């Protein structure tokens, strides 16, 4: 079956797309995107047309309409059960109806039957969605319009059996794109991967501008826009007027406020590493972790590589932090009931248990261990950071990502996909929603350097002690709509939504004071905002605020407890009011002119994306992914058996999975395994063996006045810098701890000690190089 995106016939053949017109309206850090697509039936027979549209991650559709001839179809949000009843009644009586429901697993694609296209007839499709723009490493805000609507994509079935699509050389339609930006900050520049007309400023302050895509663009690649503000790290407060037709006192009727908090981390802060934090390592122990990392003769088992990585991590942690290790499969277990203080005793206990870790826990079920971790109280002044290692997929990706996102301001999530079978949607999604970093270990990649790179990110200081205080005139109140924020990490931005209630007889302004702490330094920002916003700025902030509240309520509902019916009622009420879908509402299609329901199912479907980089904007997203003919659930394993909840592991083990052989002793890992938690080494035969010496040879070269542990630690540092410099990313924290320990001892004769060590090991390493 040919699978493609855009308007297709009932046989899944593409209907020619003639033009795309996109209007992008940006308000500070958020945007509303309106796309109008023009199609024509060039066949000599009628076509039953279906519209398929993939959405960016985190986008929320707030309008859909289709015009075919004189008939216009508009989708409206209603209570899900009411919409289903209306749909069933219409179908059973021979009437025409559409129904769109949000998938329980995902919410990233629309599929909609829009009726019959006569020969030569045109169809115009309009879809509007809202989105928070992502922040890039250079502080730009990024918007991506994927080139997924090409009607002449060539299907190619991937190894997993999921159709993928690549672009044809001839693009038979054009794209027009207009961009309007309104900001509380001065607009510095707007860049694109495609040619743009000159940026036109519409005010003297350079806070309002517009630009168009240069004419003639053939849309043969993604259109990326990068928006730069002059003071991107300055907090901002933007107020949007409520809808005049909405009830006063409701979220959509009152003014909505959006605060942007994007702290700047100075260079001296970035170069320092935190000594505090809670580090939780979550390791997949499903059966497939017993497979080899790659097909080479020298390949490690995945679980063996994970054990070596845990050794490095445990030796690299700073004294005084907290840590714990979880293993998961069809069940889960933790080394300690709750995170423990990092010390010599707890480190050694953990290392003993790491050595016995096996790939023996069945299927891949990550939701329950995450729920358990998130239920544990955090330690004050110790930001919690998760390191998650998995080689598989899960069927409930959306629920997992929702859970990670709901705790983003108290937990950070670093994720690692091991092998070719790791779900990119899961790995990239957890890192994105958890404000961390995703890494994939495939082919002959080594796990350790990638994990240690992420540890460096995790050890950088964080913003904490965040508070928001309001000052408004009498008669006015401000209700926070966003969850509270505890911690922000480097490169992380928080958007805080609030509702302004009531009226003031005199004053027209309020203020908000933002306070936080960065590396023990207090920071205070006070922002003024108007209580009388302009009436013509749209409802983007309102709808994103509503979606934020809906997500919080859905998470409460999934957690269970009392007052479930009231939570459900509130979700439906807000979803219908804002026109944003939820778990308890659906879009029902009606004929705008006659108010009669119209023909065809309007269904939202899960796209089973295999081996692709997450949502729009990742590698490979200039391709259109295949549409499944029915709702699909991702298997937790590469095969199609939904059995992870029963503990059944169904990865193939015929060629790739073997009994573990006795591991070869890596000298670097041998050395690191001998280090104490405080950072020092003891002088003994095991350490001497790493250097290729006997214990007597090493001991006899020690100066009398030098302590044995200082001598051993200096030798270990010299050996690392002299013989393992190409692997420095793996042992950098081990070396930093040992150098810090040496400095704390204030030893006499250190320079001579380094000279003697160089002589013993045949090296020329300086004190400065060692950092002591």
């Amino acid at each position: 079956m040919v699978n493609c995106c855009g308007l297709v016939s009932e046989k899944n053949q593409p209907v020619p797309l003639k033009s795309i017109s996109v209007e992008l309206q940006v308000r500070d850090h958020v945007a509303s995107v309106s796309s109008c697509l023009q199609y024509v039936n060039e066949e000599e027979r009628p076509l039953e047309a279906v519209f398929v549209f993939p959405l960016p991650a985190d986008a929320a559709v707030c309008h859909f309409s289709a015009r075919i001839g004189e008939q216009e179809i508009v989708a409206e949000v209603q209570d899900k059960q009411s919409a289903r009843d209306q749909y069933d009644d219409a179908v059973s009586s021979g009437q025409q109806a559409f129904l769109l429901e949000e998938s329980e697993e995902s919410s990233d694609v629309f599929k909609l039957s829009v009726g019959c296209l006569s020969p030569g007839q045109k169809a115009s499709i309009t879809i509007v969605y809202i989105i928070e723009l992502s922040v890039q490493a250079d502080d730009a805000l990024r918007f991506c319009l994927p080139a997924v609507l090409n009607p002449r994509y060539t299907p190619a079935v991937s190894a997993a059996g999921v159709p993928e699509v690549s672009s044809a050389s001839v693009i038979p339609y054009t794209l027009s794109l207009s961009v309007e930006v309104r900001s509380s900050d001065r607009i510095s520049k707007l860049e694109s991967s495609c040619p743009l007309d000159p940026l036109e400023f519409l005010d003297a302050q350079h806070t309002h501008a517009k630009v168009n895509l240069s004419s003639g663009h053939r849309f043969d690649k993604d259109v990326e826009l990068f928006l730069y503000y002059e003071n991107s790290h300055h907090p901002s407060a933007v107020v949007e007027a409520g809808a005049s037709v909405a009830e006063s006192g409701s979220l959509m009727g009152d003014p909505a406020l959006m605060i942007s908090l994007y702290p700047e981390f100075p260079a001296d802060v970035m170069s320092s590493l935190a000594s505090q934090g809670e580090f939780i390592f979550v390791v997949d122990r499903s059966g497939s972790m017993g497979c080899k990392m790659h097909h080479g003769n020298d390949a490690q088992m995945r679980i063996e590589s994970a054990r070596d990585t845990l050794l490095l991590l445990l030796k690299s942690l700073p004294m005084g932090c907290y840590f714990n290790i979880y293993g998961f499969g069809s069940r889960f277990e933790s080394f300690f009931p709750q995170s423990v203080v990092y010390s010599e005793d707890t480190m050694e206990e953990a290392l003993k248990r790491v050595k016995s870790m096996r790939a023996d826990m069945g299927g891949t079920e990550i939701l329950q261990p995450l729920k358990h971790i998130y239920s544990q109280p955090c330690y004050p002044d110790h930001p919690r950071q998760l390191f998650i290692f998995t080689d598989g997929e899960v069927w409930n990706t959306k629920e997992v990502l929702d859970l990670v996102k709901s705790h983003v301001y108290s937990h950070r999530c670093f994720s690692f996909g091991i092998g070719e079978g790791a779900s990119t949607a899961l790995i990239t999604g957890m890192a994105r929603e958890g404000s961390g970093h995703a890494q994939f270990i495939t082919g002959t990649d080594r796990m350790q350097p990638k994990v240690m790179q992420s540890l460096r990110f995790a050890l950088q200081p964080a913003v904490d002690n965040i508070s928001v205080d309001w000052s408004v005139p009498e008669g006015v109140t401000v209700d926070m709509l966003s969850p509270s924020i505890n911690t922000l990490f480097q490169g992380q931005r928080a958007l805080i939504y609030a509702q302004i209630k009531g009226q003031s007889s005199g004053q027209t302004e309020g203020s908000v004071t933002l306070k936080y702490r960065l590396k023990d330094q207090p920071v205070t920002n006070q922002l003024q905002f108007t209580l009388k916003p302009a009436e013509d700025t749209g409802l983007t902030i309102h709808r994103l605020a509503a979606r934020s509240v809906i997500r919080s309520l859905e998470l409460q509902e999934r957690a269970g407890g009392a007052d479930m019916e009231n939570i459900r009622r509130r979700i439906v009420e807000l979803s219908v009011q804002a026109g944003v879908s939820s778990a308890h509402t659906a879009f029902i299609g009606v004929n705008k002119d006659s108010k009669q329901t119209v023909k065809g199912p309007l269904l939202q479907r899960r796209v089973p994306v295999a081996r692709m980089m997450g949502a729009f904007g990742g590698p490979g997203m200039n391709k259109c992914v295949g549409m499944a003919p029915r709702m699909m659930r991702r298997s937790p394993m590469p095969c199609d058996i939904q059995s992870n909840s029963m503990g059944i592991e169904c990865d193939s083990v015929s060629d790739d999975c073997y009994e573990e052989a006795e591991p070869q002793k890596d000298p670097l890992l041998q050395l690191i395994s001998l280090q104490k938690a405080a950072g020092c080494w003891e002088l003994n035969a095991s350490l001497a063996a790493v250097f290729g010496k006997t214990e007597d040879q090493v001991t006899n070269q020690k100066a009398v006045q030098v302590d044995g542990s200082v001598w051993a630690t200096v030798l270990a540092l010299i050996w690392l810098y002299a013989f393992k410099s190409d692997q420095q990313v793996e042992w950098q924290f081990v070396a930093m701890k040992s150098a810090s320990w040496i400095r704390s001892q204030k030893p006499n004769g250190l320079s001579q000690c380094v000279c003697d060590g160089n002589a013993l090991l045949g090296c020329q390493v300086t004190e400065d190089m060692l950092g002591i």
Side-chain angles (χ1 to χ4, degrees):
M1 178 182 288
V2 177
N3 292 290
C4 59
C5 299
L7 197 65
V8 295
S9 70
E10 60 184 341
K11 295 182 179 179
N12 218 16
Q13 296 297 318
V15 177
L17 173 61
K18 292 302 179 182
S19 67
I20 305 175
S21 175
V22 180
E23 293 182 4
L24 174 65
Q25 293 188 321
V26 178
R27 289 292 308 277
D28 279 62
H29 288 249
V30 300
S32 172
V33 186
S34 175
S35 297
C36 183
L37 303 100
Q38 302 285 344
Y39 296 90
V40 63
N41 179 13
E42 295 180 344
E43 301 291 327
E44 296 180 355
R45 56 186 177 81
L47 291 177
E48 186 73 22
V50 179
F51 181 70
V52 181
F53 194 88
L55 290 173
D58 287 341
V61 170
C62 53
H63 173 85
F64 181 95
S65 63
R67 179 173 288 278
I68 299 175
E70 296 302 314
Q71 176 179 262
E72 184 176 12
I73 304 152
V74 179
E76 298 174 353
V77 178
Q78 294 184 14
D79 174 87
K80 182 176 285 187
Q81 192 56 53
S82 172
R84 285 175 174 172
D85 292 344
Q86 186 177 344
Y87 174 80
D88 291 341
D89 290 346
V91 171
S92 62
S93 62
Q95 291 182 301
Q96 301 172 323
F98 296 115
L99 183 69
L100 181 143
E101 300 178 44
E102 183 170 309
S103 159
E104 293 179 4
E105 287 87 27
S106 185
S107 57
D108 51 5
V109 170
F110 284 88
K111 183 178 180 182
L112 163 68
S113 293
V114 293
C116 186
L117 272 181
S118 303
Q121 193 169 41
K122 297 179 181 179
S124 175
I125 308 289
T126 301
I127 187 165
V128 181
Y129 62 88
I130 51 176
I131 189 169
E132 295 179 355
L133 299 176
S134 61
V135 181
Q136 305 301 292
D138 63 352
D139 302 330
L141 297 179
R142 178 180 179 271
F143 170 76
C144 180
L145 187 69
V148 298
L149 296 170
N150 183 346
R152 295 192 183 180
Y153 281 108
T154 304
V157 178
S158 70
V162 179
E164 295 183 359
V165 198
S166 57
S167 177
S169 58
V170 179
I171 311 297
Y173 58 88
T174 57
L175 166 73
S176 67
L177 171 66
S178 65
V179 182
E180 183 177 8
V181 182
R182 295 176 185 267
S183 171
S184 54
D185 188 11
R186 283 175 65 90
I187 301 163
S188 176
K189 59 182 176 179
L190 198 154
E191 297 178 344
S192 175
S193 58
C194 303
L196 297 175
D197 291 343
L199 184 66
E200 180 183 351
F201 289 102
L202 303 179
D203 66 350
Q205 293 76 35
H206 286 199
T207 60
H208 187 192
K210 67 177 183 179
V211 70
N212 296 320
L213 190 68
S214 297
S215 60
H217 180 68
R218 303 304 294 179
F219 207 14
D220 55 347
K221 61 181 178 180
D222 293 355
V223 177
E224 289 183 297
L225 297 175
F226 298 95
L227 173 61
Y228 295 83
Y229 292 133
E230 199 167 281
N231 302 294
S232 57
H233 289 285
H234 285 191
S236 63
V238 182
V239 181
E240 184 179 78
S244 57
V245 295
E247 181 183 350
S248 179
S250 67
L251 192 155
M252 299 304 289
D254 286 340
L257 173 66
M258 178 183 71
I259 297 172
S260 167
L261 180 58
Y262 181 42
E264 184 171 13
F265 285 66
D268 62 323
V269 172
M270 291 298 293
S271 62
S272 66
L273 297 176
S275 59
Q276 295 174 307
E278 181 187 4
F279 302 89
I280 299 180
F281 307 110
V282 186
V283 182
D284 189 342
R285 288 178 53 186
S286 61
S288 58
M289 286 291 286
C291 296
K292 285 191 172 186
M293 291 290 292
H294 57 85
H295 296 290
N297 293 330
D298 59 342
Q300 280 187 307
M301 301 298 109
R302 294 172 183 173
I303 193 68
E304 185 183 352
S305 183
R307 287 200 300 262
D308 289 348
T309 303
L310 285 172
L311 167 65
L312 271 178
L313 286 166
L314 285 170
K315 294 291 186 175
S316 300
L317 293 178
M319 291 293 285
C321 72
Y322 290 79
F323 80 100
N324 204 349
I325 297 175
Y326 282 70
F328 73 92
S330 304
R331 55 187 175 85
F332 70 89
E333 61 183 32
S334 60
F335 282 16
F336 307 101
Q338 60 189 36
S339 294
V340 294
V341 175
Y342 179 74
S343 66
E344 182 65 28
D345 290 341
T346 56
M347 182 194 76
E348 286 299 331
E349 183 179 347
L351 284 172
K352 287 178 184 176
R353 298 194 62 174
V354 165
K355 289 177 183 177
S356 65
M357 287 177 67
R358 297 289 182 268
D360 56 3
M361 295 184 73
T364 306
E365 174 52 68
I366 197 171
L367 186 64
Q368 293 309 314
L370 286 179
K371 283 184 175 180
H372 184 267
I373 291 167
Y374 289 139
S375 71
Q376 301 284 316
C378 294
Y379 292 97
D381 301 323
H382 288 271
R384 181 174 289 171
Q385 317 223 34
L386 275 61
F387 285 66
I388 299 175
F389 302 82
T390 182
D391 70 342
E393 301 176 325
V394 297
W395 61 268
N396 53 353
T397 297
K398 182 184 177 185
E399 193 171 357
V400 171
L401 299 188
D402 277 352
L403 183 66
V404 173
K405 186 178 180 68
S406 69
H407 292 87
V408 68
Y409 297 123
S410 59
H411 299 63
R412 199 179 191 188
C413 186
F414 294 88
S415 53
F416 305 89
I418 305 169
E420 302 293 342
S423 164
T424 54
L426 178 68
I427 300 302
T428 58
M430 285 192 295
R432 182 187 66 245
E433 303 296 6
S435 296
H437 188 67
Q439 299 268 22
F440 289 87
I441 300 104
T442 58
T444 58
D445 292 346
R446 294 184 72 251
M447 188 185 301
Q448 290 84 353
K450 294 192 173 186
V451 173
M452 301 314 288
Q453 181 187 42
S454 292
L455 181 61
R456 171 168 278 279
F457 295 149
L459 286 170
Q460 288 169 342
V463 164
D464 57 12
N465 283 19
I466 301 169
S467 65
V468 181
D469 297 309
W470 306 94
S471 176
V472 289
E474 187 176 348
V476 177
T477 58
V478 178
D479 281 1
M480 287 276 284
L481 303 175
S482 300
S484 59
I485 304 169
N486 299 320
T487 308
L488 282 175
F489 301 96
Q490 194 276 329
Q492 186 179 8
R493 174 206 59 198
L495 295 180
I496 304 167
Y497 298 101
Q499 178 180 352
I500 302 174
K501 295 183 174 181
Q503 295 285 336
S504 168
S505 56
Q507 290 180 264
T508 60
E509 282 198 344
S511 67
V512 57
T513 302
L514 299 173
K515 295 181 181 179
Y516 58 85
R517 186 179 63 181
L518 175 58
K519 203 182 177 186
D520 298 323
Q521 294 298 312
V523 180
T524 300
N525 291 280
Q526 189 174 66
L527 307 172
Q528 304 295 128
F529 57 87
T530 181
L531 299 173
K532 304 287 185 182
E535 299 288 336
D536 60 347
T537 54
L539 294 170
T540 302
I541 293 174
H542 280 78
R543 289 188 171 119
L544 286 168
R547 190 185 63 164
S548 175
V549 175
I550 288 170
R551 283 187 169 180
S552 296
L553 290 169
E554 288 174 346
L555 286 166
Q556 286 181 39
E557 185 182 37
R558 282 199 286 271
D563 210 19
M564 300 292 286
E565 186 54 38
N566 191 48
I567 291 175
R568 184 191 183 282
R569 181 190 58 76
R570 175 70 175 133
I571 291 171
V572 171
E573 179 184 276
L574 194 52
S575 177
V576 172
Q577 188 186 121
V580 177
S581 64
S582 72
H584 295 297
T585 54
F587 282 94
I588 188 80
V590 298
N591 186 308
K592 188 177 180 181
D593 298 323
S594 66
K595 292 298 179 184
Q596 293 294 306
T597 50
V598 283
K599 184 181 179 181
L602 168 55
L603 296 173
Q604 190 166 351
R605 296 299 196 200
R606 176 84 167 97
V607 173
V609 186
R611 317 293 187 261
M612 295 191 70
M613 290 298 292
F616 291 153
M621 286 316 296
N622 61 338
K623 298 180 179 180
C624 167
V625 296
M627 283 297 302
R630 54 186 169 80
M631 188 70 69
M632 295 185 67
R633 286 157 65 93
R634 297 197 67 150
S635 170
M637 291 76 69
C639 67
D640 291 330
I641 301 173
Q642 294 298 325
S643 54
N644 70 315
S645 61
M646 297 178 286
I648 301 171
E649 178 70 34
C650 67
D651 290 299
S652 171
V653 297
S654 58
D655 296 317
D656 297 320
C657 302
Y658 305 90
E659 291 295 321
E660 282 191 56
E662 183 67 26
Q664 294 289 320
K665 295 295 184 182
D666 180 339
L668 174 61
L669 291 177
Q670 276 186 281
L671 179 77
I672 292 173
S673 69
L674 296 171
Q675 189 191 35
K676 299 297 183 181
C680 64
W681 277 265
E682 291 181 347
L683 186 58
N684 55 34
S686 297
L687 180 66
V690 174
F691 305 146
K693 309 288 182 182
T694 67
E695 185 174 3
D696 286 344
Q697 285 177 305
V698 173
T699 303
N700 292 339
Q701 289 294 318
K702 181 181 77 68
V704 175
Q705 76 274 20
V706 176
D707 176 77
S709 291
V710 171
W711 172 238
T713 305
V714 168
L715 287 176
L717 274 177
I718 291 173
W719 186 87
L720 286 170
Y721 280 97
F723 299 108
K724 294 295 177 181
S725 59
D726 58 330
Q727 293 176 250
Q728 186 169 353
V729 68
E730 299 180 37
W731 50 261
Q732 57 182 319
F733 300 113
V734 166
M736 288 169 64
K737 280 174 70 174
S738 59
S740 177
W741 180 86
I742 290 173
R743 290 194 301 270
S744 72
Q745 302 303 300
K746 298 183 171 67
N748 294 320
L750 189 57
S751 296
Q752 186 60 45
C753 188
V754 173
C755 289
D756 293 343
N758 277 320
L760 176 66
L761 300 178
C763 309
Q764 293 182 332
V765 178
T766 65
E767 281 184 70
D768 288 342
M769 189 182 296
L770 299 180
I772 57 176

